[in-house]
Amino acid sequence: MNDTHEVRITTQDRSARCPADQSVLEALLRDDIWLPHSCTQGTCGTCKVRVLEGEVDHRDSSEYTLTSHERAAGIALGCQATPCSDLALEPAERVDPGDAVPRHPLRDHGGTVVLLDDIARDVRRLVVELDEPMGFNAGQYAEIRVPGTEVSRQYSMANPPSRSDRLEFHVKRTPGGVATDGWMFAGLRPGDRVELKGPLGDFGSNPPSGGAAIMIAGGTGLAPLTSIVRHVLAGESAPPLYLYHGGREQRDLYDAEFFRELEQHHERFTYRPCLSEQQWDGAMGAVTDVVLDDFASCKGLSAYLCGPPGMIEAGVKALKRRRMAPRRIFREEFPDASDNFAGAR
Ligand code: FES
């Protein structure tokens, strides 16, 4: 039988049982105990914890994300570290879990594919009807298991949380990829069963409220922003929202009609698709340059960026140049995105 250990978060005075082969982050989230996290892959460093008592196995934590100096100082990555004994932990950065959004426990789910549709170049819309609803916050993601393998892939929900029983994902094909070329773009059909776990991620923790928000998407980075936009616009006093979607050519853009219609019904919502390579009558250039052209100042505004690392880096630079406060910039990277600003995580 698998050993389990007690993992206590001192700042919340709560604890969970954690199997010796499970990450402390997963055990806490499954027990509805919140710990900041984003990638769950050991690359972003958001989940750093200070080990106050006990010992952990750092497993695959890389020197890049967790330096030997940090390890020596008792820091661990919550999404990688497994317990070797009972533990007392605190988040490495003091964060107030806050009550801006509800928290939803991490759970395993099963569901049936009800829609699989090609919507852009190498992009499919996948809709899964779950056996049991999965509560989540707009901007979060789920991890979908590839059948017959040990492989899982992360995809953000594009539907608003009000449809917690029917999840929509935008899947970018990765040439030769096990999950996409080997399954979702090959054998997967409506009616097939899918296993996943969720919700995960921090991107939904600071929803737009009060001031205007600029949302910048590259490729399938549009998915979590669609969820946020739909959720916020369904509320009573939605702030002004400016949604930018970048691609190389028109065939990289999708759901344009949906957003144009949304514009007709919500005067505080603006949709700006941008193309970097094809001449057309819309905005031209890198999506982040179009934002720079549109805003003389971003002081007091907030921003949500989702897409490949290069786009995020350029976007953060552009927004800072326009005097947006760094603490108002929220980002979600899709590291494997292709050069047309599209991709799965
Ligand atoms: S490194 Fe743990 S959530 Fe990103």
Side-chain angles (χ1 to χ4, degrees), residues 37-40 42-47 65 77 79:
H37 66 283
S38 180
C39 70
T40 66
T43 54
C44 73
T46 313
C47 62
T65 318
L77 295 178
C79 71

